[in-house]
Amino acid sequence: MGKNRHESFAAAEKERDQLIRDTGEAYIIHENQGGFFDCRKALTEPTSEAVIELHPSNKILLSYILPLTVGLLIFFNAENLTVALIKAINNTGLVFYINQILRCFELIGVTLFSVYFLKCLYRIYSKTYIIDAEGIRVHDGIWAKDIKVIKYKDIQTPTLKRSLSDRLLKTGSLEFFAAGTASIDMRFDQIDSPNEVLELILVNAKKRYNST
């Protein structure tokens, strides 16, 4: 375990990087119940060599609760909204178009709900993150998939990013830099149990490196 507890993830990240450079061992950053971060040595052996497939967390749905709820409210209250609109405009001629106005409100509600629900499903299921014995991959797309691959030997120190909502939902994003690049080459976006996933990748990388 690292020597210090840190109030910020960035400070713990610096210590972890230094420990990896000094010892050649794999370390992960752990967040304790008090909200502090410390560095811990990763397991000496991975729990499994099987190919692991991940998707962004289903908890992403919670970030779309507001537009989904608004869409449902508009649809189920279309009649009340129609009456309120006619009263607000105070034009008796609109009574002849009451059915059309009602259908417009229903269409707005259904469209709003459908767009955000499909957007949520696409965000979750269009990306597949794969961890195997050789490296990590991202399959991006539903039908025509864009595939990115980074071998373990090319992975620079990965970074775990967590927002306040990620901490509450126990999710997070992993960012990977390939050797010789200065920009993010791969990202595991908002996955469940990101610490455990990061630990598995570090252990697999160490095992692969030691076997060559």
Side-chain angles (χ1 to χ4, degrees):
M1 182 181 294
K3 298 180 180 179
N4 303 312
R5 291 195 311 168
H6 304 278
E7 293 184 358
S8 70
F9 181 88
E13 191 175 32
K14 290 181 180 179
E15 184 187 12
R16 180 202 62 193
D17 294 347
Q18 187 64 48
L19 287 168
I20 293 174
R21 287 193 294 268
D22 292 345
T23 66
E25 303 285 346
Y27 281 82
I28 64 170
I29 297 174
H30 176 263
E31 182 180 4
N32 60 36
Q33 293 182 347
F36 293 96
F37 301 92
D38 57 55
C39 299
R40 298 187 178 186
K41 191 174 180 180
L43 300 175
T44 56
E45 294 291 338
T47 56
S48 172
E49 293 185 352
V51 175
I52 297 175
E53 292 190 2
L54 305 169
H55 292 279
S57 174
N58 291 333
K59 297 170 186 174
I60 288 176
L61 178 63
L62 295 175
S63 63
Y64 293 92
I65 285 295
L66 181 58
L68 291 173
T69 301
V70 171
L72 289 175
L73 288 174
I74 292 175
F75 177 79
F76 287 111
N77 291 278
E79 185 174 340
N80 293 333
L81 291 171
T82 301
V83 173
L85 178 63
I86 293 174
K87 288 183 178 179
I89 296 178
N90 194 25
N91 186 340
T92 55
L94 290 177
V95 175
F96 297 102
Y97 301 97
I98 189 169
N99 287 331
Q100 291 89 329
I101 297 173
L102 176 64
R103 297 295 176 265
C104 284
F105 277 119
E106 290 177 342
L107 181 60
I108 291 171
V110 169
T111 301
L112 183 62
F113 180 87
S114 299
V115 166
Y116 280 95
F117 185 70
L118 291 174
K119 184 177 180 181
C120 177
L121 291 180
Y122 181 83
R123 186 176 171 189
I124 294 173
Y125 294 107
S126 67
K127 294 183 183 294
T128 303
Y129 310 127
I130 299 176
I131 305 169
D132 59 25
E134 300 296 325
I136 56 177
R137 287 175 284 160
V138 173
H139 291 198
D140 189 1
I142 299 295
W143 293 285
K145 290 187 177 292
D146 178 24
I147 301 176
K148 295 181 180 179
V149 180
I150 301 182
K151 299 292 186 181
Y152 286 126
K153 64 182 179 66
D154 295 323
I155 296 178
Q156 301 298 299
T157 303
T159 301
L160 171 59
K161 299 289 187 180
R162 303 182 77 186
S163 63
L164 177 59
S165 61
D166 283 325
R167 298 183 194 281
L168 295 174
L169 298 175
K170 299 187 184 302
T171 60
S173 299
L174 299 178
E175 296 178 349
F176 303 93
F177 297 81
T181 63
S183 60
I184 299 171
D185 292 280
M186 187 177 293
R187 179 181 172 92
F188 285 14
D189 186 40
Q190 208 163 354
I191 57 174
D192 289 314
S193 305
N195 280 313
E196 288 79 358
V197 175
L198 177 58
E199 179 175 341
L200 177 61
I201 292 173
L202 290 174
V203 171
N204 279 354
K206 179 185 175 185
K207 184 178 181 181
R208 184 67 178 173
Y209 178 80
N210 289 339
S211 65
T212 58

